[in-house]
């Protein structure tokens, strides 16, 4: 589960390129675009501009380069020409990128146009919860510390944490060990070691945590129809703490939250 320095350098390059994909989305007006149009734009950018491979395309038979999860879709939303993003939507784009045989994975929930305060608060809290989990990463910490930090932030704001899906180790393969749950007890679970690389990707619901999978076999929605949001970064355990490999240039990083 630990990566050599040369592997970490390659993973960091994949992460830097993936961060630039979200930079492209940040500069894009999403209202009025179909989720398939966004998928095609991202694919052209990854392949033509970055000379990289969209790692999700073909993975487990999936035919697209990203997941587009809108409003009550928790994860794995399939891009569609008929699903046009409208003012007031929230949409998570989950994207992976492979360069030089190493994969990075990240996602961000976007606010489309004027979003109501309740939806905005859910998105902001989910982002904060991800960073609470990231701040718990250091050599000797436990996986349970990450999950506990995320769950505590969710619960104190009245949200539930989806338990069916978790973060994961990543490297040459999309999904490696360890599994990184977004709930747990401090001081429990696998001890973190320098050189480990994994994703932290909490999904928070406004309502209950229960989810169901739609008939397409991919799209996961909240059972009660409540809104759901997600954020994700690929991180590496360093000698002194953590490095966020997919950090975007405009992000405050660990300085987002006070101690």
């Amino acid at each position: 589960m630990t990566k050599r320095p040369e592997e970490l350098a390659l993973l960091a390059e994949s992460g830097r390129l993936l961060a630039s994909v979200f930079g492209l989305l940040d500069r894009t007006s999403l209202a009025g675009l179909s989720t398939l149009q966004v998928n095609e734009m991202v694919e052209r950018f990854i392949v033509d501009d970055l000379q990289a491979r969209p790692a999700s395309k073909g993975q487990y038979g999936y035919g697209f380069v990203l997941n587009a999860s809108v409003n009550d879709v928790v994860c794995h939303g399939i891009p569609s020409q008929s699903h046009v993003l409208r003012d007031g939507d929230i949409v998570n784009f989950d994207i992976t990128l492979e360069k030089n045989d190493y994969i990075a994975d990240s996602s961000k929930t976007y606010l489309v146009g004027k979003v109501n305060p309740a939806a905005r608060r859910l998105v902001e809290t989910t982002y904060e919860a991800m960073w609470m989990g990231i701040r718990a990463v250091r050599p000797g910490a436990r996986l349970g510390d990450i999950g506990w930090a995320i769950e505590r932030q969710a619960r104190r704001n009245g949200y539930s944490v989806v338990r069916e899906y978790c973060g994961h180790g990543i490297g040459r393969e999309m999904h490696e060990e360890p599994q990184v749950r977004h709930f747990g007890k401090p001081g429990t679970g696998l001890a973190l070691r320098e050189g480990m690389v994994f994703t932290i990707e909490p999904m928070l619901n406004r309502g209950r945590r229960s989810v169901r999978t739609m008939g397409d076999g991919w799209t996961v929605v909240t059972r009660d129809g409540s809104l759901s949001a997600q954020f994700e970064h690929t991180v590496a355990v360093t000698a002194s703490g953590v490095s966020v490999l997919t950090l975007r240039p405009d992000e405050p990083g660990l300085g987002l939250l006070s101690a």
Side-chain angles (χ1 to χ4, degrees):
M1 285 186 282
T2 58
K3 305 295 191 290
R4 302 185 304 275
E6 57 269 26
E7 292 180 295
L8 291 170
L10 291 170
L11 282 161
E13 174 62 7
S14 295
R16 184 187 69 81
L17 294 177
L18 183 52
S20 74
V21 177
F22 286 94
L24 171 68
L25 290 174
D26 291 346
R27 300 188 297 272
T28 300
S29 178
L30 296 173
L33 293 180
S34 73
T35 54
L36 184 61
Q37 285 178 301
V38 177
N39 178 86
E40 292 170 345
M41 176 183 66
V42 168
E43 182 168 19
R44 289 194 299 270
F45 185 70
I46 292 175
V47 174
D48 297 338
D49 293 66
L50 302 181
Q51 301 293 299
R53 184 180 77 85
S56 295
K57 191 172 185 179
Q59 179 87 358
Y60 310 126
Y62 190 69
F64 302 90
V65 305
L66 55 77
N67 296 135
S69 302
V70 185
N71 296 332
D72 66 332
V73 179
V74 177
C75 60
H76 303 162
I78 299 175
S80 168
Q81 187 62 47
S82 63
H83 199 144
V84 177
L85 296 171
R86 303 297 186 191
D87 190 70
D89 285 338
I90 63 172
V91 55
N92 177 271
F93 293 117
D94 191 343
I95 308 170
T96 60
L97 179 149
E98 181 187 38
K99 183 75 171 182
N100 299 317
D101 298 324
Y102 285 86
I103 300 171
D105 190 357
S106 186
S107 83
K108 177 178 178 177
T109 297
Y110 286 86
L111 306 172
V112 182
K114 186 177 181 180
V115 174
N116 69 58
R120 178 180 294 274
R121 180 171 173 267
L122 170 67
V123 172
E124 291 174 349
T125 302
T126 305
Y127 186 64
E128 292 167 356
M130 176 191 67
W131 278 105
M132 290 291 193
I134 292 172
R135 287 184 62 183
V137 176
R138 64 183 64 86
R142 301 276 180 169
L143 285 176
D145 299 335
I146 298 173
W148 178 77
I150 291 168
E151 187 176 29
R152 181 180 62 169
Q153 181 70 4
R155 285 186 170 182
R156 66 173 32 153
N157 285 279
Y159 303 125
S160 60
V161 178
V162 174
R163 296 193 172 201
E164 285 82 354
Y165 303 93
C166 61
H168 51 87
I170 192 167
R172 286 182 175 269
E173 301 294 332
M174 177 91 72
H175 297 110
E176 301 179 352
E177 291 297 328
Q179 292 188 356
V180 182
R181 294 181 174 87
H182 304 117
F183 60 95
K185 296 180 180 180
T188 65
L190 183 71
L192 304 184
R193 304 189 301 271
E194 182 181 357
M196 284 182 170
V197 180
F198 48 82
T199 68
I200 296 176
E201 47 183 294
M203 305 167 197
L204 270 57
N205 297 344
R206 276 199 71 201
R208 297 181 182 275
R209 67 175 179 84
S210 299
V211 301
R212 62 186 178 92
T213 302
M214 303 291 283
D216 59 23
W218 286 102
T219 307
V220 178
V221 299
T222 57
R223 281 193 176 274
D224 59 9
S226 62
L227 291 178
S228 185
Q230 180 188 19
F231 284 88
E232 174 184 13
H233 272 312
T234 298
V235 306
V237 184
T238 68
S240 58
V242 62
S243 175
V244 181
L245 303 184
T246 47
L247 187 72
R248 296 180 289 277
D250 64 332
E251 281 190 282
L254 294 176
L256 172 72
L257 305 169
S258 60

